[in-house]
Amino acid sequence: MQEKTLVLIKPDAFEKQHTGDIIAIYEKAGLKILAMKLMQMTPRVAQKHYAEHIGRPYYAELEEFMTSAPLVAMVLAGDDAIARVREINGKTNPAEAAEGTVRKLYAESVGKNAVHASDSPESAAREIAIFFSAIEVLD
């Protein structure tokens, strides 16, 4: 099934200049870029994006990290894109991520884990709308 998913190349991976390498991994897997932008996440956007995490012990650190430097936001599309991107990214903990996954290759830690990807069609729709207007996503 054709799906869309949001991917964020987080500040840690962007600052270490891994953006092009990460994008190439998605493209080699047959995923299509429908939208992409370089941006700096604001606290307001972080609160919308990570709403379900507000109030948890790690939230302040997460918001500080995600607003600390530029990131790249993308909409990727393809057959079963949500599950495929999550598999390509690997487990959140890079020590547990499979060889060749984005996080095994580029993540520093559980907190600085290089990328974010939507976890369901509902999350993808909600998250894409936070980062992109309808006219910015080229179907």
Side-chain angles (χ1 to χ4, degrees):
M1 176 175 74
Q2 247 335 62
E3 291 179 326
K4 294 177 192 170
T5 188
L6 179 82
V7 171
L8 302 177
I9 299 176
K10 294 181 177 182
D12 56 320
F14 180 79
E15 285 187 324
K16 291 187 173 183
Q17 299 182 327
H18 295 308
T19 303
D21 297 324
I22 293 169
I23 292 169
I25 291 169
Y26 297 131
E27 288 187 316
K28 285 179 187 168
L31 295 157
K32 183 179 177 185
I33 299 170
L34 300 184
M36 183 165 52
K37 66 171 79 168
L38 174 64
M39 62 178 288
Q40 181 111 14
M41 188 181 278
T42 64
R44 183 170 172 256
V45 170
Q47 289 161 14
K48 283 176 132 178
H49 181 67
Y50 292 112
E52 68 275 13
H53 300 286
I54 293 174
R56 294 189 178 158
Y58 57 84
Y59 180 76
E61 187 178 337
L62 173 63
E63 182 180 305
E64 182 179 338
F65 166 61
M66 291 302 293
T67 60
S68 68
L71 58 78
V72 173
M74 298 186 293
V75 177
L76 298 181
D79 290 336
D80 298 313
I82 294 166
R84 287 178 55 215
V85 167
R86 293 181 68 78
E87 184 177 333
I88 290 165
N89 287 351
K91 291 190 176 187
T92 303
N93 183 343
E96 298 173 1
E99 290 299 324
T101 61
V102 171
R103 289 185 172 131
K104 188 67 162 187
L105 293 167
Y106 303 113
E108 294 177 36
S109 65
V110 173
K112 293 185 176 182
N113 59 25
V115 288
H116 164 84
S118 304
D119 64 4
S120 69
E122 297 77 21
S123 291
R126 183 184 72 79
E127 292 174 351
I128 289 167
I130 291 169
F131 291 90
F132 297 94
S133 70
I135 64 168
E136 293 177 302
V137 181
L138 307 175
D139 284 309

